[in-house]
Amino acid sequence: MDAEAGFVAFVQRHARTLHRTAFLLTGDVGHAEDLTQNTLVRAFAAWGRVSTAEHPLAYSQRILYRTFLREQRRRRVREVFGASHEPSIPGETAFVDDRDMVDRLLSTLPPRQRAVLLLRFLEDRSVEEAAQVLGCSAGSVKSQTSRALATLREHATNESGADRG
């Protein structure tokens, strides 16, 4: 199989996974599509290394996370995703309400903390694997995880208290 055909097959198999991760990082469908596209462009440019890697999807996810963090550093302005959420409609399932709450809570985190949580808990990566993907130390992953979880606990407590009041 030639390189281009191999890349097309890779995209067909893994684009949805990359897009899902991008959406969870960005909280916005359009931004997630842009991030996924940028990731695939970078993966194609490095296809010789990506295709021969032991886990090409993991290599591409590393590109995605690093591209996301690079974009966030360049912007230096945090986007506020919580304002884009529609208010809950009476009768929606608790699952949808919980998902909206998780989305809102994740949007309160700085980009690196959001990335660390997604790597550690959504993708079930070890501290060392997350550190390798993000290009930082294991200690940094541990401290970012701790700070992120503390922030989420605080915001979840405040949000649940506001629902009762």
Side-chain angles (χ1 to χ4, degrees), residues 4-19 36-37 39-41 43-44 47 57 60:
E4 189 173 330
F7 181 74
V8 168
F10 173 83
V11 170
Q12 289 171 339
R13 271 193 315 274
H14 300 295
R16 290 187 75 214
T17 301
L18 291 169
H19 185 265
T36 303
Q37 185 68 32
T39 298
L40 291 172
V41 166
F44 184 69
W47 188 243
L57 176 60
S60 297

Side-chain angles (χ1 to χ4, degrees), residues 46-59:
W47 188 243
R49 289 187 308 274
V50 175
S51 64
T52 59
E54 186 174 344
H55 301 287
L57 176 60
Y59 195 112

Side-chain angles (χ1 to χ4, degrees), residues 3 6 14 17 20 22 27 36 38 43 53-54 64 68 76-77 79 89 102-103 105 114 122 139 141 148 155 158:
H14 300 295
T17 301
R20 181 191 65 167
T36 303
N38 290 339
E54 186 174 344
L64 184 135
F68 169 73
R76 299 273 187 223
V77 176
E79 293 178 271
I89 299 169
V102 169
D103 287 347
L105 292 174
R114 203 173 329 148
L122 177 69
V141 169
H155 287 269
N158 292 341

